Amino acid sequence: MRGGDEILRIEGLCVYFYTYAGVVRAVEDLNLTIYRGETFALVGETGCGKSVTMRAVLRLVPPPGRIVKGRIIFDGVDLLKLPEKEMRKIRGSKISMVFQDPNTALDPLYTAGYQTTETILAHRKVSKKSAWQRALELFKVVEIPEPKRRLRAYPHELSGGMKQRVVTSIALSLNPKLLIADEPTTALDVTIQAQILELLRDLQRKYGVTLVMITHNMGVVADMADRVAVMYAGSVVEVADVYELFGNPLHPYTKGLLRAIPSLTSRNERLQSIPGTVPNMIRPPPGCKFHPRCEYAMDVCKRERPRMIDMGKGHLVACHLYS
Amino acid sequence: MKPLQSSRIGQYLERNRAKIEEWKLTLKVLLRSPSAVCGLVLVLLFLFMAVFGPYISPSDPYKIDFAKRLRPPSSGNPFGTDEYGRDLLSRVLHGARVSLIVGIVTLAICVPVGVVLGLIAGYFGGVVDEVIMRVTDIFLAFPALVLAMALSVAMGSGLMTVMIALAVVWWPAYVRITRGQVLSVRENLFIEAAKAMGISDFWIIARHILPNVLSPIIVIATMDMGAVILTAAALSFIGLGAQPPTPEWGRLVADGQPYFPECWWYVFFPGIAIFLTVLGFNLLGDGIRDALDPKIRRRLEFKSAEGESQ
């Protein structure tokens, strides 16, 4: 899968939210590289900054959030240096996004077909008729039954899974190079989840689009991803091949996450949770942000922030245990 | 049925079936409430008078005939006559048009201005919002009637002055309502989704924010139609609005005041015209509010489906 051909490189990204309570350091000094054509999973607990990171890629961090520093290099271009007008051309056409909750991601006042053509017409100078033609094709691609009738359907006439297919078709309408899926299955029934994941996997294979999945579901990660980055409190703590990560997790936090997954093979084993809670992001603990919850914490962890260490085979980890 | 379905109209009906169904239900909800129907009838009556009044009025509203001074209602003059012997029915019918024009012109100025400013303030937020809202607050702090009076005095009396004065004091309310709605609508995921798909701000505001904030604005504008007519009548009553011999309802009440209560009809008929018109717009506004609530529509949809199955 990995040809060494980068599509997205994030360097030293910092996103802060300036709230009344203080500056929330949602993403701090984050580094990440995503290769062309792969399925990349970004995992972590709620509030660890994974969604904010991907919104920063689209430069859509909601206020009072601000991208403080860093570089986001997409296809050789630093997105953070582009004027807003150029950035808008990239959104939807080169990088697009599937959202968590399909029930609210569609405007209730317009038909599914209209909302698909809207994106096409915003970026391409084509006739309305050919935009509708393209929408029909897309509906077939995302396997919506009776696509012709569904083009005219309003969101309230569609089921959750169907709506997610429509959202996916909108995201794919301009053949983006990078598709970001922000917990695309969290709001759906389990059976529908599997269908949507399968659809995303098919589309990824068929069109070679680079897929970034934001999720907290390790099952989805194991099922879908080629490579995984684990985030904790605004930073990446471990990056590895999916088999490597599940077979040989290095960071104590990753180990904890994997222990918290119920297993079918081992009986009568209690699920282990990671003690403690996500740290206060306004005044994060010094040194390694995970040390207050870490069973291996050493003195150095309280003082120094661990650097990313390459353990070989592209397995990166930020932990003092390995330095 | 067959030729209809293959025709263009048939195709149009088929394609927009969901939309048409929704409009039908909206109308049904409106017609279900007796007060809304009352309001609708009163408003339609008012509009009819305003449009056709001058053509159906029995005599010239300006024709002075001292022989028929201050006559009570009779078959020749159903509403009686005024101190110059002019037919009051004709004057009230002509007055409807004046009131309608004042109402429409005022709202046609302040609704768009208020809504556009509200959309901009709510959508962009920050400094833009701050500036627009503070200016709005300043205008909102002025008592409407007093500012209108001040302007009337400064610019001289007349209908034009009344309309300008009313427009100046009326738009801030629309900024407030629109901004409040925008603040809630823009939090929807579909707005963020549209941004993420590279849709421009202008398009998002025009196609996704505006239609989603429109229903309360329609309701308020309907009710304000009555309120504007009432305020315009009040300004005319105190002599700042329509000048004689223009037949304006507020003016007619003022002119009839010295002859009250002996010549009760002089005050009564223009007064009742104002009363019924304002009442009509208020009732209709209430009815529209219910009809535009999709939850009430759904409830009715289920009710009528139950009725059919029984």
Side-chain angles (χ1 to χ4, degrees):
Chain A
M1 268 296 161
R2 210 177 331 134
D5 184 11
E6 300 174 356
I7 187 160
L8 183 74
R9 194 168 79 242
I10 303 175
E11 286 176 0
L13 180 71
C14 292
V15 182
Y16 294 170
F17 284 75
Y18 296 86
T19 67
Y20 288 116
V23 179
V24 179
R25 292 153 197 273
V27 176
E28 194 155 35
D29 195 22
L30 182 135
N31 297 289
L32 209 56
T33 305
I34 292 164
Y35 298 100
R36 206 177 290 278
E38 71 176 346
T39 299
F40 189 87
L42 197 55
V43 293
E45 286 165 287
T46 306
C48 73
K50 49 194 196 303
S51 290
V52 172
T53 304
M54 292 331 279
R55 273 170 180 66
V57 170
L58 282 168
R59 290 217 338 232
L60 285 175
V61 177
R66 269 221 311 271
I67 301 171
V68 178
K69 59 181 178 212
R71 301 209 296 160
I72 297 175
I73 294 155
F74 171 75
D75 243 358
V77 182
D78 188 349
L79 296 181
L80 298 184
K81 292 215 175 82
L82 283 182
E84 178 61 27
K85 211 177 149 203
E86 293 300 310
M87 190 62 219
R88 200 196 302 138
K89 284 184 192 158
I90 287 180
R91 291 184 199 127
S93 74
K94 291 196 172 135
I95 307 176
S96 72
M97 196 150 177
V98 173
F99 286 89
Q100 183 173 354
D101 186 358
N103 298 309
T104 52
L106 293 171
D107 190 335
L109 296 180
Y110 297 100
T111 59
Y114 172 85
Q115 296 188 55
T116 312
T117 59
E118 187 178 45
T119 303
I120 301 169
L121 292 170
H123 290 278
R124 301 269 189 275
K125 286 197 172 69
V126 293
S127 70
K128 268 191 184 163
K129 208 173 170 190
S130 60
W132 279 91
Q133 201 57 44
R134 171 86 180 124
L136 180 63
E137 273 168 40
L138 285 163
F139 274 34
K140 284 177 187 158
V141 168
V142 297
E143 290 159 17
I144 293 175
E146 296 185 74
K148 214 159 191 170
R149 196 164 64 84
R150 290 296 179 357
L151 281 175
R152 299 279 174 199
Y154 284 88
H156 74 267
E157 299 172 303
L158 300 170
S159 67
M162 206 67 83
K163 272 183 259 190
Q164 193 61 303
R165 284 173 193 271
V166 173
V167 171
T168 311
S169 85
I170 295 172
L172 286 172
S173 55
L174 295 152
N175 293 320
K177 290 179 178 166
L178 180 67
L179 180 63
I180 301 166
D182 186 359
E183 310 206 12
T185 57
T186 313
L188 301 172
D189 286 346
V190 185
T191 47
I192 308 297
Q193 282 183 14
Q195 287 180 16
I196 294 292
L197 290 176
E198 198 172 314
L199 174 73
L200 285 171
R201 193 165 35 219
D202 281 357
L203 294 170
Q204 198 264 338
R205 278 198 199 124
K206 219 186 274 179
Y207 298 99
V209 54
T210 310
L211 181 62
V212 177
M213 302 264 298
I214 302 171
T215 181
H216 53 233
N217 185 334
M218 289 308 253
V220 171
V221 174
D223 197 23
M224 298 283 294
D226 299 317
R227 286 198 315 135
V228 188
V230 180
M231 269 187 89
Y232 183 78
S235 311
V236 174
V237 295
E238 186 163 7
V239 185
D241 193 77
V242 68
Y243 296 107
E244 176 73 12
L245 190 93
F246 278 82
N248 179 26
L250 293 176
H251 198 281
Y253 177 64
T254 316
K255 287 180 184 170
L257 272 186
L258 292 172
R259 273 202 302 269
I261 309 171
S263 159
L264 279 177
T265 47
S266 48
R267 279 190 300 148
N268 293 337
E269 197 186 311
R270 275 182 151 255
L271 281 182
Q272 290 184 28
S273 63
I274 304 172
T277 53
V278 181
N280 176 338
M281 306 284 273
I282 294 175
R283 255 173 248 95
C288 172
K289 284 181 210 158
F290 189 59
H291 84 259
R293 301 170 73 185
C294 181
E295 50 185 314
Y296 309 105
M298 304 174 287
D299 270 352
V300 64
C301 301
K302 291 170 194 163
R303 293 192 315 266
E304 268 177 58
R305 214 164 149 206
R307 292 235 306 275
M308 215 35 136
I309 306 154
D310 193 340
M311 304 295 286
K313 289 187 290 178
H315 195 153
L316 305 173
V317 64
C319 180
H320 287 303
L321 283 176
Y322 305 96
S323 54
Chain B
M1 276 314 272
K2 228 180 176 181
L4 182 72
Q5 267 167 359
S6 58
S7 72
R8 291 187 77 129
I9 300 170
Q11 270 174 15
Y12 178 82
L13 289 178
E14 184 52 37
R15 240 185 328 174
N16 293 292
R17 198 174 35 83
K19 226 180 255 175
I20 292 167
E21 205 52 42
E22 214 55 39
W23 279 111
K24 270 189 189 161
L25 271 174
T26 308
L27 198 66
K28 215 173 190 174
V29 175
L30 196 65
L31 295 181
R32 193 182 58 135
S33 138
S35 64
V37 173
C38 262
L40 189 65
V41 168
L42 287 171
V43 168
L44 287 177
L45 198 70
F46 168 68
L47 292 178
F48 177 81
M49 275 164 62
V51 175
F52 297 106
Y55 306 108
I56 55 167
S57 67
S59 53
D60 183 351
Y62 300 106
K63 205 185 98 197
I64 294 170
D65 181 359
F66 284 105
K68 289 204 284 184
R69 236 178 135 249
L70 291 171
R71 292 260 180 89
S74 65
S75 58
N77 305 94
F79 284 6
T81 60
D82 67 6
E83 75 269 39
Y84 298 108
R86 293 176 294 201
D87 178 39
L88 266 177
L89 173 62
S90 304
R91 286 183 73 73
V92 168
L93 283 173
H94 274 77
R97 181 172 278 190
V98 175
S99 285
L100 180 71
I101 289 170
V102 171
I104 285 182
V105 169
T106 306
L107 289 183
I109 296 168
C110 50
V111 174
V113 168
V115 169
V116 167
L117 286 175
L119 285 170
I120 293 170
Y123 183 79
F124 292 105
V127 182
V128 182
D129 182 30
E130 206 59 34
V131 170
I132 292 178
M133 289 324 288
R134 290 305 77 79
V135 173
T136 306
D137 282 344
I138 291 168
F139 277 89
L140 215 53
F142 274 95
L145 206 58
V146 175
L147 184 59
M149 278 162 64
L151 280 170
S152 299
V153 172
M155 299 192 298
S157 303
L159 274 177
M160 201 58 210
T161 314
V162 168
M163 287 188 271
I164 293 170
L166 287 177
V168 167
V169 296
W170 229 278
W171 63 268
Y174 288 91
V175 182
R176 278 265 146 131
I177 300 155
T178 311
R179 176 176 171 273
Q181 291 289 316
V182 173
L183 288 183
S184 96
V185 169
R186 74 163 189 189
E187 291 307 315
N188 276 303
L189 192 57
F190 62 80
I191 299 298
E192 200 193 341
K195 278 187 199 164
M197 299 316 293
I199 313 275
S200 67
D201 286 332
F202 175 78
W203 189 262
I204 291 176
I205 292 175
R207 300 305 295 251
H208 294 288
I209 305 250
L210 179 62
N212 276 295
V213 303
L214 214 52
S215 24
I217 295 166
I218 292 172
V219 173
I220 305 279
T222 308
M223 291 184 164
D224 270 359
M225 189 74 188
V228 166
I229 289 172
L230 188 63
T231 313
L235 285 172
S236 294
F237 179 82
I238 54 176
L240 298 172
Q243 295 305 307
T246 313
E248 204 276 344
W249 291 346
R251 183 85 220 175
L252 290 180
V253 175
D255 290 344
Q257 195 200 359
Y259 309 100
F260 189 75
E262 289 78 26
C263 305
W264 58 270
W265 59 89
Y266 197 171
V267 178
F268 178 78
F269 289 109
I272 208 87
I274 297 172
F275 167 71
L276 289 178
T277 304
V278 176
L279 181 70
F281 278 109
N282 279 335
L283 292 177
L284 183 65
D286 261 337
I288 291 177
R289 168 164 39 217
D290 289 346
L292 288 180
D293 183 349
K295 279 184 195 115
I296 293 180
R297 283 208 296 268
R298 288 287 87 74
R299 216 152 62 205
L300 196 74
E301 186 179 49
F302 285 121
K303 252 185 207 159
S304 62
E306 268 170 36
E308 275 163 31
S309 66
Q310 274 166 8

